[in-house]
Amino acid sequence: MFFLNYEYLEHWVNDERIHVLWCAGLLPWPLTREALDAFPERDAREWGGFAYVATEDDGKPIGFFLYSTNVKENSGFLKFIVLDPELRGRGYGVRMIKLALKYAFEITGVTSVQLNVFQVNAAAMRCYEKAGLKVRAVEENAFRYREEIWARCNMVIVRS
């Protein structure tokens, strides 16, 4: 089972716009436990990804992401990153991403890690920049949400 704590994610991704910023419409809205349980299994089959839950010392979930590696390119990819909204702006997201990067570089041995983020999600972009990622490419007009058209940024960090 993918989300042992589905209720946390349901609370964190609690409106349609946030949902689309988080998953680019790859999961149905409203969220369902069944769709969430099935998605990482599909991601693991197609991309070799694994789901990770960041927790407080007491085990309470505070964030989530998927991570996969591309063996041929020796690179990692972070996706579906979300943090408890009550903790945003307090450094938790940066620490979570830095730990994910440490895992990627030291455990999986990749030489670079990338992620995609919608440019309209300025807070997420700042978090990723603070963790050391840099914008590599911007795809204008990449995604439509209702009347909005969003650019997608590919961000990357290379192992030093």
Side-chain angles (χ1 to χ4, degrees):
M1 176 186 251
F2 172 46
F3 283 107
L4 299 174
N5 296 295
Y6 165 74
E7 294 77 19
Y8 286 102
L9 189 63
E10 183 181 40
H11 173 71
W12 300 340
V13 183
N14 58 8
D15 78 26
E16 185 179 27
R17 188 171 191 276
I18 291 170
H19 171 81
V20 174
L21 283 170
W22 173 63
C23 74
L26 295 173
L27 291 167
W29 175 257
L31 293 172
T32 66
R33 184 180 304 268
E34 294 75 24
L36 290 169
D37 283 346
F39 186 75
E41 293 172 19
R42 188 180 82 206
D43 186 69
R45 279 192 313 274
E46 294 176 10
W47 302 103
F50 293 95
Y52 296 88
V53 176
T55 65
E56 290 278 17
D57 291 338
D58 65 4
K60 179 186 175 200
I62 62 165
F64 166 82
F65 60 92
L66 290 176
Y67 172 74
S68 60
T69 57
N70 180 327
V71 176
K72 189 165 99 174
E73 294 180 12
N74 197 26
S75 65
F77 202 92
L78 292 169
K79 50 196 164 188
F80 297 91
I81 302 164
V82 66
L83 185 72
D84 180 342
E86 295 175 10
L87 300 177
R88 292 181 188 154
R90 297 172 35 196
Y92 284 87
V94 174
R95 288 196 301 267
M96 181 176 78
I97 298 301
K98 283 184 174 183
L99 283 170
L101 294 172
K102 181 179 170 107
Y103 173 83
F105 291 133
E106 294 180 10
I107 304 300
T108 69
V110 297
T111 57
S112 65
V113 177
Q114 63 179 307
L115 58 81
N116 290 325
V117 60
F118 292 117
Q119 197 169 35
V120 70
N121 195 349
M125 287 189 66
R126 279 192 305 276
C127 172
Y128 305 146
E129 287 170 344
K130 287 178 183 176
L133 288 107
K134 299 195 181 329
V135 174
R136 175 169 51 184
V138 177
E139 181 185 355
E140 299 294 337
N141 307 314
F143 192 86
R144 177 181 285 278
Y145 172 72
R146 298 186 184 244
E147 302 302 316
E148 300 176 54
I149 299 175
W150 299 340
R152 180 175 30 245
C153 296
N154 177 261
M155 299 181 76
V156 67
I157 184 170
V158 176
R159 182 174 58 200
S160 53

